[in-house]
Amino acid sequence: TSRGLGDVYKRQGAAMVKIAMDLLRADVIDEKTVLRRMEPQKLDELLHPVFDKAALKRAQVVAKGLPASPGAASGQVVFSAEDAEAWSEKKRKVILVRIETSPEDLRGMAVAQGILTMRGGMTSHAAVVARGMGKCCVSGAGEIQVDYKEKTVKMGDKVYHEGDWISLNGSTGDVYDGEVKTAEPELDGDFGAIMDLAAKYTKTLVRTNADTPRDAIQARHFGAQGIGLCRTEHMFLGERKQIIQNFILADDQEVKDKALAELLDAQQGDFCAMLKTMGEHPMIIRLLDPPLHEFLDNPRELAVEIAKLEATGADAATISQKRELLARIDSMSEANPMLGLRGIRLGIMYPELVDLQVQAIASAMADLQKEGITTHPEIMIPLVSTQAELIAVREQVQAQIDKVCEQKNVKLDIEIGTMIELPRAALMSKEIGEYADFFSFGTNDLTQTTFGFSRDDVESAFIPTYLRKKLLKTNPFETLDEGVAKLVAAGVEGGREAKPNLTCGVCGETGGDPDSIHMYYNLGLNYVSCSPYRVPIARLAAAQAKISAKGNAGHQDK
């Protein structure tokens, strides 16, 4: 029976789950054996659309990239977020094709059936966001040629124009010519039974990374026990980007104050909806983290716009205004923005932004409390490297919470923690832990700063070569590296030396990787947090980690 079962596990995820549960019901194997023999990554096949087998046999592969986010998708090619939205409103299925994506593309990604990018790796913006949305994505298809001006993409010998049909296999990285029929996943009772078994044997909790009520609802459906990361910068996009630009670029204090008031109102509404969705489950809200330039116009595109205005004889005042804007943006440019004005540094330079966000969080909690709704927001301060930074911003955060309590005549208990994502913070965790209510390890940035790698570049540059030549065992942005693990261990040890019951979790991409979850269990983390569609995978892996662990030294229940 064991040998036969092993053969079954080479089949699709649905067969894996069904046969295992049939054997359990027949008393051939026990519950722990069922969990041990599950392959967590194969659960992905049960959560996303798949191609019709007969249709797939006839499909022609025209390009290949990285399998950045699983699933199957067919749609008509569009090249901008605006076009994706416009076509979607007309009930047309679209594939968003970009050289690479940025936060500005989120609206288009949300309505597209799938995303195809020429550049980027498994942890690029497109990949991370697509996995969070449960969208099919093929990234780093370096052989394709995207032309935004002509609205074409060349794949192999064929040029595809806007409106042409293509299909994506996010599980293999294949791009197919034309429309390939897809089928929606079916989550039957056996899948639920496996999740129930996972819950029975799990010690490490699984939370989700979610930025919208929709993400939170999906994650709760999959069994997430809270939000481990809410990236508030995603709430400042679209129309709100202009508001925050007005705040950053304006010299007039009246303009700045108006922008802050508009942002406060918008953020409070966001947090009310998210907190109401999560109810009594914890929700960690990270204060603004991205580099400053992500809130501003692209200087290259602005320069091109100015050149076009000049060529067409546009109004001189308009051109002058654009030039002043470009000069202001250029004056704020950084050589290495990911290592520059972002995270806690952005809050220190623009303290009004911290005040705004904390007021929005505390006010949302207070308003819901008066409605009889219990919520548990937790505020996370990102990119801390020194104790002095944390002390200063923590005092500011607490002052704003106290201000809201006084204004609304309520009592609010909101934990204030930090993100450990720099090597210095991990090594100085005892000192930092004295002023933190919790630690969340941001392994994306911790891996970048430990290796000196850029996760947005190296996966399509030299990491494939390093893996092929066995200079790296695994991609460190997908599976926790042993060197980075030592920094996490040092961070946990130091933090709990300062506060023995300090809650420690992880919210980087490795939080949804089965091999990494085993390592995090052994490192004593209380929870892992991952994108909504990786929650079932993480829950199964967490159960397997507990079952296979040789002793539970260092692990804390919480």
Side-chain angles (χ1 to χ4, degrees):
T1 302
S2 174
R3 182 178 177 182
L5 187 62
D7 292 337
V8 167
Y9 281 83
K10 296 176 184 178
R11 303 175 191 174
Q12 294 182 346
M16 174 186 75
V17 169
K18 176 172 173 42
I19 298 299
M21 290 306 301
D22 284 347
L23 291 173
L24 175 65
R25 285 187 284 264
D27 290 327
V28 176
I29 56 176
D30 61 19
E31 293 177 343
K32 289 185 178 181
T33 302
V34 168
L35 291 174
R36 286 193 191 99
R37 292 179 174 179
M38 289 289 106
E39 294 181 39
Q41 296 289 16
K42 285 192 174 181
L43 292 185
D44 253 342
E45 300 171 17
L46 281 68
L47 307 176
H48 302 275
V50 295
F51 285 122
D52 177 81
K53 291 181 180 179
L56 192 59
K57 288 181 179 179
R58 299 189 298 270
Q60 177 189 359
V61 176
V62 292
K64 191 169 181 66
L66 298 172
S69 183
S74 289
Q76 294 174 276
V77 171
V78 294
F79 295 91
S80 71
E82 293 76 16
D83 287 338
E85 285 187 306
W87 287 47
S88 179
E89 287 174 2
K90 296 177 182 178
K91 308 299 181 184
R92 298 166 80 174
K93 295 181 178 181
V94 299
I95 300 292
L96 179 61
V97 179
R98 301 288 292 168
I99 294 174
E100 59 187 342
T101 64
S102 71
E104 283 296 286
D105 295 311
L106 280 174
R107 293 173 299 147
M109 297 172 74
V111 298
Q113 303 300 305
I115 301 101
L116 170 63
T117 68
M118 189 172 81
R119 299 177 190 157
M122 295 293 287
T123 53
S124 63
H125 177 270
V128 172
V129 172
R131 285 196 291 270
M133 292 179 172
K135 298 280 184 179
C136 171
C137 177
V138 174
S139 65
E143 297 301 315
I144 71 173
Q145 299 173 31
V146 179
D147 188 328
Y148 290 149
K149 183 179 179 181
E150 297 297 328
K151 292 189 175 182
T152 62
V153 54
K154 184 177 181 182
M155 293 188 276
D157 297 327
K158 184 173 179 178
V159 175
Y160 293 81
H161 297 79
E162 182 181 60
D164 289 342
W165 282 82
I166 62 171
S167 301
L168 309 179
N169 190 331
S171 301
T172 64
D174 290 325
V175 182
Y176 303 99
D177 176 62
E179 181 179 10
V180 181
K181 186 179 178 181
T182 61
E184 290 301 312
E186 295 182 7
L187 299 182
D188 60 17
D190 285 338
F191 174 83
I194 291 291
M195 290 295 98
D196 289 342
L197 287 181
K200 181 177 179 179
Y201 291 97
T202 296
K203 181 175 284 188
T204 305
L205 301 179
V206 177
R207 299 184 185 179
T208 189
N209 302 337
D211 312 316
T212 66
R214 184 191 65 187
D215 291 343
I217 291 170
Q218 183 64 69
R220 287 289 299 125
H221 175 67
F222 287 146
Q225 295 167 294
I227 292 177
L229 175 64
C230 174
R231 294 156 288 205
T232 57
E233 55 271 14
H234 288 179
M235 299 174 175
F236 284 82
L237 300 174
E239 295 177 357
R240 297 180 191 173
K241 183 178 177 181
Q242 184 60 54
I243 303 174
I244 201 166
Q245 278 188 2
N246 292 342
F247 167 76
I248 293 171
L249 297 173
D251 293 319
D252 189 329
Q253 189 59 45
E254 188 175 335
V255 175
K256 285 181 176 288
D257 290 343
K258 182 176 182 293
L260 285 172
E262 292 176 353
L263 289 170
L264 175 62
D265 183 61
Q267 284 250 281
Q268 186 170 335
D270 289 335
F271 293 136
C272 270
M274 292 282 287
L275 288 167
K276 189 178 291 187
T277 298
M278 295 314 295
E280 296 187 1
H281 294 279
M283 174 179 172
I284 294 180
I285 302 169
R286 183 178 69 186
L287 300 182
L288 284 174
D289 182 51
L292 185 65
H293 77 275
E294 289 192 6
F295 294 126
L296 306 176
D297 289 333
N298 185 309
R300 285 187 183 180
E301 293 177 1
L302 190 54
V304 171
E305 182 184 350
I306 292 170
K308 288 181 179 178
L309 290 171
E310 291 175 334
T312 56
D315 178 63
T318 301
I319 295 174
S320 176
Q321 186 180 27
K322 293 285 186 180
R323 284 194 173 279
E324 287 180 11
L325 177 60
L326 178 59
R328 188 71 183 272
I329 292 173
D330 281 341
S331 72
M332 296 180 175
S333 67
E334 298 175 290
N336 294 299
M338 292 304 290
L339 299 177
L341 187 53
R342 54 171 292 218
I344 193 171
R345 302 160 197 164
L346 187 65
I348 289 172
M349 295 298 292
Y350 296 94
E352 302 96 326
L353 291 176
V354 172
D355 291 346
L356 173 153
Q357 291 202 287
V358 176
Q359 287 175 28
I361 295 165
S363 296
M365 183 183 183
D367 290 347
L368 291 172
Q369 186 180 102
K370 289 184 176 181
E371 293 178 24
I373 301 173
T374 301
T375 59
H376 293 284
E378 300 176 1
I379 295 174
M380 182 160 67
I381 301 171
L383 213 72
V384 166
S385 57
T386 71
Q387 185 192 64
E389 282 179 316
L390 182 57
I391 291 173
V393 176
R394 183 189 174 104
E395 288 177 352
Q396 180 186 354
V397 169
Q398 189 60 57
Q400 292 303 315
I401 294 173
D402 294 342
K403 181 179 178 180
V404 171
C405 288
E406 184 177 349
Q407 289 174 341
K408 294 183 176 286
N409 192 29
V410 295
K411 183 178 180 181
L412 302 177
D413 183 16
I414 301 177
E415 291 192 351
I416 304 169
T418 189
M419 205 168 187
I420 303 296
E421 49 193 326
L422 297 173
R424 189 184 193 281
L427 296 174
M428 302 297 291
S429 57
K430 179 182 177 182
E431 289 75 10
I432 290 173
E434 292 174 5
Y435 293 90
D437 296 327
F438 63 87
F439 279 176
S440 177
F441 290 87
T443 54
N444 294 347
D445 272 318
L446 189 57
T447 300
Q448 284 194 109
T449 50
T450 299
F451 274 96
F453 288 168
S454 166
R455 75 173 187 264
D456 289 325
D457 298 321
V458 299
E459 288 185 270
S460 57
F462 59 80
I463 277 190
T465 301
Y466 269 49
L467 293 172
R468 188 174 66 253
K469 292 187 175 183
K470 302 190 185 306
L471 300 176
L472 284 172
K473 294 179 182 178
T474 59
N475 183 335
F477 292 104
E478 294 179 33
T479 299
L480 183 66
D481 168 74
E482 59 185 356
V484 178
K486 288 184 178 182
L487 287 172
V488 174
V492 173
E493 181 181 357
R496 288 183 178 154
E497 190 174 346
K499 292 181 179 177
N501 294 318
L502 185 73
T503 298
C504 294
V506 61
C507 60
E509 276 299 294
T510 57
D513 171 66
D515 291 337
S516 302
I517 289 170
H518 282 252
M519 297 172 72
Y520 289 130
Y521 177 86
N522 292 328
L523 289 170
L525 268 63
N526 302 104
Y527 71 87
V528 296
S529 187
C530 57
S531 55
Y533 280 83
R534 299 184 86 180
V535 166
I537 294 170
R539 291 179 62 195
L540 178 55
Q544 291 176 332
K546 182 178 183 298
I547 290 171
S548 63
K550 297 178 180 178
N552 297 325
H555 195 94
Q556 295 186 2
D557 290 304
K558 189 152 182 174

